[in-house]
Amino acid sequence: MSDPIDELVALGHAAPSPAVFERALAAVRKSVGADAVLLVRCGGSDITILAAASPSLEISTNLVRTATPLIVAAPQGRMLTKAFTFRDRAVQMLAVPCAGESTWLMVWIRAEGDALEQATQLVRLAAASIPHESEGGEETARAALALIRSFSEPRKARLAGFCERARKLLGCDSVFLSRHTLRGWTVPACDPPPLPASRSALHETLLLAFSNHASEPDAAVFPGPDAHPSLPEICRLVECESCAIIPCWEGWAILAAWKRGEPPAQESLQSALAPLAPLLPSLHRHRRSLHQRWRALPFDRKRLWGIAAGAFILLMVFPFHLRVHAPVILEPSLRRFVAAPFDSVLKKVHVEAGTVVEKGALLAELDGKEVRERIAEIEAQAAAANLQSASDLAGSRFDQSALSSLQAQRAGHELEVLRQREHDLQILAPISGIVIQGELEREEGAALKLGRSIMEVAPLDMMVAEVALREEDAAFVHPGQKVVVRLNALPSADIRATVKKVNPRAETRDGRNIFIAEAEIANPDAAFRPGMKGDAVVVADRLPLFWILFRKPWNTLRSWLFW
């Protein structure tokens, strides 16, 4: 919108001519998106076209013929609006008098609501800036047109710009803008800044003055006979000699202060701000729709945004690998428990946790005193039974000889068990590896029950990374997928492996259900130890990026709204 506005402001200083008129009408048509814009002169019951910005002369003539009765019968100096229906579409005609009462600016536009209101304000201001013989009011019109360019700025900046232009038009030194709300009068902007502090003497006096004078139809001037006592107090606080409260629009008013001299007459004050006042509601509330902002963009900018939107859509639908993050812990691939072979007493422990042992290495010794004493006793019983059997056999006591022989065999079998226990007094490593558990030095001499675990030995050449998957992620992890492990003890090393299996049954850890995915990791240098923790990333299947980004928020929202 800024280009047509600049064109109108520039043409306001040009001498009137048909070429200047056509350029001005083209700028108006472009700024409001009108179908046709005409500049006509009304002479009695006839209307003459001075300039036109329309598809064709025939269309311009038909539009003038349609609007002639309305313009001839319109009140003098008043803007005329009329709605028509053309090809089942609503068309608005806006006719604004300009350069006296005989020249009219006619605009045919298809707009409704806020767009029509904004177009009406712009057409009214553009009519005042059309070049003509009289120069009166052009400065005010150009100031109002400049305000329209500030619609894209923040609200505070727009209102501050209004105060600045009002101060220049009135020739005063200070301007305070006030607006009436449900809570009373407020002061949203002023010029020069800054705004008076809330609850300060100036702020409270301004609110008192606006509440007493802003609702009146005419301006209140100090010095004057009907001035409220708050006005001289404001002059004292801002160090001025005179001031005036000027009603601008419904619920809007300004206070202007002059350091020297008296303010102009009441009629001059209100007429100077007449073109600016209708802009106040739009300056305070104006928000262009997305469609209007899109139409206002240059073609190059639209093309750039179109390319960016297309690239964004392609990026959202392009498949990427789903990366599942989960905690991980290292465990040995094989674990062997060494237990007490029989009830005994722990005599000596030769290794401790963390010791690397070879297969067959001595781990601990059990006390064999009781076993050896029992062996000696059984050996004596076996010898006595053999001797008795031989004696009975020599005396032809065959029954007694057979019984003694059976007792000797029984003693022999018991002796074999005791000798095996004697052999098991030395507990040897069943496999090569590292002792994971086995710190029993302080328990030497303690009694051991059959089956009690003494030590745990595991090989270190191969480790298993147990990845704790959340329930919502377990469905996307399958054997054969890649996994990257980063341990807390080795944060700079990325360990790559492959998922071997996913346990079909969930486990409970730290109060939540998880599924364990296992991946084997080679450990030739024994750098990894059982129990190391870290984080793992499983590179799952390819899925669209928008699904990867928004699946969790969507599932959460769906559970809130539809469950």
Side-chain angles (χ1 to χ4, degrees):
M1 184 183 292
S2 59
D3 293 341
I5 296 297
D6 292 338
E7 180 80 2
L8 285 172
V9 174
L11 292 176
H13 301 279
S17 65
V20 172
F21 289 152
E22 291 180 359
R23 290 176 57 189
L25 297 186
V28 174
R29 183 184 181 188
K30 183 178 180 181
S31 62
V32 299
D35 295 333
V37 180
L38 307 176
L39 185 65
V40 300
R41 177 172 294 167
C42 180
S45 59
D46 297 329
I47 293 182
T48 305
I49 299 177
L50 300 179
S54 64
S56 66
L57 180 60
E58 180 181 359
I59 293 178
S60 301
T61 304
N62 293 336
L63 295 177
V64 168
R65 186 182 300 112
T66 303
T68 296
L70 300 174
I71 294 179
V72 171
Q76 295 183 353
R78 298 287 299 276
M79 180 176 178
L80 176 64
T81 60
K82 182 67 176 178
F84 294 90
T85 301
F86 178 73
R87 294 182 180 177
D88 298 332
R89 293 192 62 181
V91 180
Q92 301 286 342
M93 184 199 74
L94 309 177
V96 184
C98 57
E101 300 177 355
S102 60
T103 306
W104 291 74
L105 178 65
M106 297 173 54
V107 177
W108 298 77
I109 185 173
R110 303 180 186 185
E112 297 178 356
D114 294 340
L116 179 61
E117 181 182 353
Q118 297 168 16
T120 303
Q121 294 176 2
L122 182 57
V123 170
R124 183 189 292 113
L125 299 173
S129 67
I130 296 292
H132 51 82
E133 298 297 334
S134 175
E135 296 295 329
E138 287 188 3
E139 182 180 357
T140 303
R142 287 193 291 272
L145 288 172
L147 278 178
I148 296 180
R149 289 201 299 267
S150 68
F151 277 166
S152 60
E153 299 177 358
R155 178 188 299 176
K156 291 184 178 180
R158 297 197 300 264
L159 295 179
F162 178 89
C163 293
E164 179 184 0
R165 289 169 177 82
R167 181 179 60 82
K168 293 179 180 179
L169 290 174
L170 296 174
C172 58
D173 297 288
S174 300
V175 167
F176 296 92
L177 177 65
S178 180
R179 174 175 176 261
H180 189 268
T181 64
L182 295 176
R183 295 180 295 177
W185 290 92
T186 60
V187 182
C190 70
D191 188 75
L195 280 171
S198 179
R199 298 185 179 181
S200 62
L202 178 57
H203 184 265
E204 296 296 333
T205 308
L206 285 171
L207 297 183
L208 181 60
F210 283 118
S211 62
N212 283 278
H213 286 287
S215 59
E216 299 178 0
D218 299 325
V221 180
F222 172 80
D226 300 329
H228 191 268
S230 57
L231 296 183
E233 179 65 15
I234 292 175
C235 290
R236 185 186 68 82
L237 293 174
V238 298
E239 300 179 355
C240 293
E241 294 181 357
S242 59
C243 63
I245 292 182
I246 310 167
C248 294
W249 198 252
E250 296 180 1
W252 291 90
I254 67 171
L255 186 143
W258 290 263
K259 290 187 176 181
R260 294 183 180 180
E262 296 183 356
Q266 293 181 354
E267 296 78 5
S268 300
L269 291 174
Q270 293 183 326
S271 61
L273 297 178
L276 294 182
L279 290 175
L280 278 171
S282 296
L283 289 173
H284 184 262
R285 304 175 184 174
H286 179 77
R287 291 290 187 274
R288 291 192 298 176
S289 64
L290 292 177
H291 179 67
Q292 291 173 334
R293 294 180 183 180
W294 176 257
R295 291 187 58 184
L297 288 176
F299 176 76
D300 293 342
R301 187 73 62 81
K302 290 181 180 179
R303 182 173 58 182
L304 180 62
W305 277 106
I307 295 174
F312 178 77
I313 293 174
L314 289 177
L315 181 63
M316 288 294 102
V317 300
F318 191 82
F320 287 86
H321 282 290
L322 175 64
R323 301 174 67 87
V324 178
H325 295 259
V328 66
I329 184 171
L330 290 186
E331 296 291 350
S333 59
L334 179 63
R335 304 169 67 174
R336 292 291 299 272
F337 292 90
V338 180
F342 50 88
D343 294 343
S344 60
V345 176
L346 181 62
K347 180 180 180 180
K348 179 69 175 178
V349 177
H350 294 275
V351 296
E352 59 184 10
T355 303
V356 178
V357 296
E358 297 294 333
K359 183 177 180 180
L362 180 62
L363 301 179
E365 289 184 70
L366 302 179
D367 189 359
K369 179 179 179 181
E370 182 179 354
V371 175
R372 295 188 183 92
E373 290 178 353
R374 184 63 177 165
I375 290 175
E377 180 181 353
I378 296 302
E379 287 180 344
Q381 292 178 2
N386 289 329
L387 181 60
Q388 182 65 35
S389 176
S391 176
D392 292 337
L393 184 61
S396 300
R397 295 187 293 272
F398 298 105
D399 294 340
Q400 295 294 332
S401 177
L403 180 60
S404 298
S405 178
L406 291 175
Q407 291 177 351
Q409 292 179 7
R410 176 184 175 183
H413 293 311
E414 188 174 355
L415 186 61
E416 290 180 2
V417 173
L418 291 175
R419 292 195 182 280
Q420 182 62 39
R421 288 188 177 184
E422 184 181 21
H423 178 269
D424 293 339
L425 291 175
Q426 291 186 339
I427 300 177
L428 307 179
I431 57 175
S432 299
I434 186 173
V435 179
I436 299 177
Q437 296 178 355
E439 296 181 355
L440 299 176
E441 294 88 347
R442 297 183 180 181
E443 297 186 16
E444 292 181 356
L448 298 179
K449 293 293 184 178
L450 173 64
R452 176 183 173 181
S453 177
I454 300 176
M455 293 183 183
E456 181 181 353
V457 182
L460 295 182
D461 56 341
M462 187 67 67
M463 305 296 291
V464 174
E466 294 186 355
V467 183
L469 302 173
R470 294 187 294 265
E471 287 185 293
E472 59 269 24
D473 295 332
F476 306 103
V477 178
H478 307 288
Q481 294 175 344
K482 302 299 181 180
V483 58
V484 180
V485 177
R486 182 171 294 178
L487 299 174
N488 298 334
L490 303 170
S492 60
D494 290 340
I495 308 166
R496 303 184 181 276
T498 303
V499 177
K500 292 298 182 181
K501 70 173 183 176
V502 179
N503 293 346
R505 182 178 179 83
E507 300 180 9
T508 302
R509 290 187 182 179
D510 299 330
R512 60 191 183 96
N513 278 2
I514 59 171
F515 287 85
I516 299 298
E518 297 182 359
E520 293 185 353
I521 299 176
N523 188 24
D525 300 330
F528 309 137
R529 293 300 180 94
M532 284 186 173
K533 295 183 178 181
D535 297 311
V537 177
V538 181
V539 183
D541 297 334
R542 287 181 175 270
L543 295 167
L545 181 60
F546 77 89
W547 187 90
I548 295 175
L549 296 178
F550 301 111
R551 67 183 180 98
K552 292 184 178 179
W554 165 247
N555 290 335
T556 303
L557 180 63
R558 185 177 61 177
S559 63
W560 287 350
L561 297 180
F562 306 113
W563 183 250

